[in-house]
Amino acid sequence: MDQEDRIALFLDYENLALGAREHLGGMAFDLRPIADALAERGRVVVRRAYADWSYFDEDRRMLTRSHVELIEMPQRMGASRKNAADIKMAVDAVELAFERGYISTFVICTGDSDFTPLVQKLRELNKRVIGVGVEKSTSALLPPACDEFLYYDRLEGVDTPPARGRRGRPARVPGPESPQPELEPEVQPAGEEPVHDVDALVGLVAQTVAGLQGSSSGAVTASTLKRTLLRKDATFSESDYGFRTFGELLRHLAERNVVELAEGPAKGDPEVSLPEHGDREVAFGLLRAVVGDLTGSEGTVALSGLKNQLRRVRPDFSEKKLGYRSFLQFCKAAATSGAVELRWSPEADDYLLTTQAS
């Protein structure tokens, strides 16, 4: 138990409940999906929710059954009531951060950007901060400020109702001389989240592993990689790409030869590295072959437009899959390996490449 994270949960309840009703088809807010997600991250020792509870009578029963302390903010006029609840929640969170040193993680459930200074102050006090909010009612300023941000509507157990399709006019049957009607694109139900592009994930993971390998002398573990990905994008989640766990995602990338996995210092936390050979050498050979074809025996070829030439030969080519942040960085690595020669030309205002003489 001593190694578990102690979590303090703070809910800006009005923001969450109204966000769910307005953007999730009128559904009622349910704390259970948040509680389940936090149970995987540590032990919740403080649960507090802030609202004028005369507006949320049914919700009070649900929260009370979940052992949430209800902080009453009596009715006032308009924005002043909302500001009073925000200020009370912020003051309580900072006070708890000072008085309860054993609390390592604060979960701020809101989509309101007004809480960004609170998040920044808690992180300044060496506390990990997880944000939770309804996606369409969450300010774009809040997630990047957090260590991790969970969208409520993507959590396991939140079944958003499908959106009603728009009623269009009946399709007219085309006559012999009538043009064929254009088919409307298929609309995906609102309850189904589109799976993100796995190829984009390949580039992100490869770049991150390459950066970690270059900036530290130690091994890169799966847990270190996951934390770094969350620092790059607090909303990152392997479930968005169709994987149940981060380990399953890594095994998929290992099968594609994007990364290599080895036994790590702890069970279930393997070491992650980029393949030293294989695809990288093949890519260098491809670059050399394309440059040779374009330049002939003595000429040079400009860097600009060269990537498109590689993709004509190999449509799936991507330097990001190999861990390089840019095509120029890939070409510099190829030059270092001796596959090509690379130099800057002031006259051409571009890098020029050629193959080395045999």
Side-chain angles (χ1 to χ4, degrees), residues 233-357:
D233 179 6
T235 65
F236 171 82
S237 173
E238 58 274 4
S239 62
D240 291 341
Y241 299 89
F243 299 98
R244 293 171 297 176
T245 64
F246 191 63
E248 182 180 318
L249 183 153
L250 290 179
R251 289 190 292 273
H252 172 77
L253 295 182
E255 290 173 359
R256 296 180 59 177
N257 201 33
V258 176
V259 297
E260 291 181 346
L261 301 179
E263 186 176 351
K267 186 178 180 180
D269 192 15
E271 291 184 5
V272 186
S273 61
L274 293 177
E276 291 296 332
H277 303 287
D279 279 0
R280 197 171 301 190
E281 289 187 350
V282 171
F284 289 165
L286 172 66
L287 176 64
R288 178 181 174 83
V290 171
V291 170
D293 290 342
L294 294 174
T295 61
S297 58
E298 298 179 356
T300 59
V301 60
L303 180 70
S304 302
L306 182 57
K307 183 175 178 179
N308 291 333
Q309 298 295 333
L310 265 68
R311 283 184 167 171
R312 289 181 181 179
V313 179
R314 183 175 168 182
D316 64 340
F317 171 80
S318 171
E319 72 281 356
K320 292 182 174 59
K321 293 182 181 180
L322 303 170
Y324 299 105
R325 293 181 175 84
S326 66
F327 185 63
L328 174 59
Q329 187 184 42
F330 165 73
C331 290
K332 287 181 176 179
T336 302
S337 73
V340 294
E341 287 184 340
L342 177 70
R343 64 179 176 85
W344 172 257
S345 171
E347 294 81 9
D349 193 28
D350 200 352
Y351 284 94
L352 299 180
L353 294 90
T354 185
T355 56
Q356 289 182 334

Side-chain angles (χ1 to χ4, degrees), residues 156-196:
E156 187 71 27
V158 178
D159 298 320
T160 56
R164 298 178 187 175
R166 291 179 300 172
R167 289 190 178 183
R169 289 176 295 180
R172 185 179 59 175
V173 179
E177 300 179 356
S178 301
Q180 292 292 330
E182 294 184 2
L183 296 177
E184 293 186 2
E186 184 178 352
V187 178
Q188 184 166 356
E192 297 181 9
E193 284 293 330
V195 177
H196 293 198

